[in-house]
Amino acid sequence: MSLQPPVIDLSESERAHVHQAIDAACRDWGVFQVVGHGIDLRLMAALRRQMRSLFGAPLEEKLAIARSANNPWGFYDRELTRHARDWKQVYDYGPPDGGDIVPQWPAGLPAFKPIVREFYQACDDVSLRLLRVMSRNLGMPAEALDAHFRPAHTSFLRLNYYPKCPAPSGQLGVNAHTDSGAVTLLLQDMPGLEVLHDGRWVLVEPRRDALVVNLGDVLQVWSNDRYVAPLHRAFTHPDEDRFSAPFFFNPAYSTNYAPLPSAVDARHPPRYRPINWREFRARRAAGDYAPAGEYAQISQYSI
Ligand code: OGA
Ligand code: NI
């Protein structure tokens, strides 16, 4: 078997050996898979089926629930990553904000809404559990970071559809990037996700019972670079469609993140200036939707 990121069983997530395994995975890889996460495998299977139904619908039906300038939730098929066009269609679900931002539901797929909402909630719970372990591993009280995610947060669930791509060699499904939030949970069905590890692209082999966890930039900053937000990308297949569902566990807009006090000492001075999440998101989004211009990165906040 080729070198793989660790697979960690969360069913004993209060035990010290699990905390240690998570700490090592965060330091060495920035990515790992979790099993025993408590999410019903039937719910995961149901979500996979709903993804196929949604993206298999006629384009007019998908465009009827397209994202707009005022509402980021819904269908979209022209996204860029680092200014390069991805070979994918996406559907984003996040909660309503009391204003123009509202989820959009496909007509004719009655089971889609309850399944998406249930999966979102389940991912939110698992993410918070993982965050508490990471907070402790970084020398803080377990619940020290909760306030950035409760009650307000900006987490969302994305459904990705990578249509079969006749000449896949030069075209990536999603181009290499780091996720900008705290942690991402990913459900995948077929091979495609690769992470950069020790200078090499490593395939993260899909398991039907597992979710992939990867750290985002916010955790790298909090940890003062003890943890790494890994570069990752996804390839397409010449004769098969691929689907995946990342849940981005993102803090509240008001969050200002900087290295945690426990990650800073005389030998490890802070490596980042405080970053405001709303401001960073806005700058990153501009780079993902525009073909040119600056691409927001945490290194721009390095001290
Ligand atoms: C993403 C992502 C990987 C995949 O959407 O941010 O990294 O396997 N997706 O779909
Ligand atoms: Ni990603």
Side-chain angles (χ1 to χ4, degrees):
M1 205 183 87
S2 56
L3 183 67
Q4 277 284 298
V7 177
I8 299 176
D9 185 349
L10 288 187
S11 58
E12 296 190 327
S13 64
E14 297 311 313
R15 302 276 303 272
H17 71 94
V18 178
H19 294 190
Q20 284 157 13
I22 291 174
D23 188 49
C26 290
R27 271 188 279 114
D28 300 344
W29 284 86
V31 61
F32 50 101
Q33 303 208 60
V34 290
V35 296
H37 41 62
I39 301 182
D40 194 330
L41 300 188
R42 285 168 303 189
L43 178 60
M44 291 164 63
L47 186 81
R48 290 187 174 99
R49 283 195 298 275
Q50 292 300 319
M51 277 199 269
R52 287 181 179 270
S53 303
L54 172 77
F55 290 113
L59 189 60
E60 313 84 76
E61 281 178 33
K62 293 186 273 191
L63 291 175
I65 54 165
R67 108 168 30 141
S68 67
N70 301 329
N71 186 8
W73 306 148
F75 175 80
Y76 197 64
D77 63 358
R78 292 184 300 278
E79 196 166 71
L80 310 172
T81 297
R82 293 191 164 181
H83 313 306
R85 175 79 183 263
D86 295 330
W87 186 267
K88 69 179 183 192
Q89 300 180 5
V90 305
Y91 168 89
D92 290 337
Y93 163 75
D97 77 337
D100 288 342
I101 300 185
V102 284
Q104 303 199 74
W105 303 109
L109 277 183
F112 184 85
K113 177 174 171 177
I115 289 168
V116 162
R117 289 173 57 164
E118 192 183 343
F119 186 74
Y120 177 97
Q121 197 50 55
C123 287
D124 190 49
D125 293 346
V126 173
S127 301
L128 189 70
R129 276 169 57 204
L130 287 167
L131 183 80
R132 288 176 177 168
V133 174
M134 291 171 193
S135 182
R136 281 185 47 167
N137 283 342
L138 290 169
M140 301 292 287
E143 287 163 21
L145 301 170
D146 281 22
H148 299 293
F149 301 87
R150 296 286 187 272
H153 61 83
T154 58
S155 305
F156 69 101
L157 177 68
R158 162 163 289 186
L159 309 181
N160 280 313
Y161 165 41
Y162 304 102
K164 49 173 126 12
C165 184
S169 52
Q171 174 68 58
L172 285 162
V174 59
N175 290 282
H177 65 283
T178 60
D179 292 344
S180 51
V183 296
T184 305
L185 302 189
L186 180 91
L187 176 147
Q188 55 170 349
D189 60 348
M190 295 218 306
L193 174 67
E194 294 177 322
V195 295
L196 195 65
H197 177 68
D198 286 346
R200 283 207 198 136
W201 288 105
V202 175
L203 179 77
V204 183
E205 281 166 19
R207 289 176 55 133
R208 293 203 81 73
D209 57 346
L211 294 167
V212 181
V213 179
N214 73 264
L215 302 188
D217 294 338
V218 169
L219 249 144
Q220 179 168 336
V221 169
W222 273 335
S223 76
N224 204 23
D225 285 347
R226 175 161 149 201
Y227 295 164
V228 53
L231 268 176
H232 57 283
R233 65 185 189 184
F235 59 79
T236 55
H237 294 262
D239 45 23
E240 271 178 297
D241 294 338
R242 178 170 180 266
F243 299 85
S244 72
F247 172 81
F248 300 103
F249 189 56
N250 290 341
Y253 279 129
S254 57
T255 287
N256 294 311
Y257 49 109
L260 295 171
S262 58
V264 173
D265 60 28
R267 284 192 304 124
H268 304 92
R271 300 181 61 133
Y272 299 95
R273 297 183 271 123
I275 309 174
N276 174 256
W277 174 248
R278 179 189 295 278
E279 191 187 302
F280 189 83
R281 277 304 290 171
R283 292 185 46 222
R284 173 63 65 91
D288 281 350
Y289 303 123
E294 189 192 34
Y295 182 79
Q297 300 191 68
I298 52 172
S299 55
Q300 292 151 354
Y301 296 81
S302 294
I303 296 177

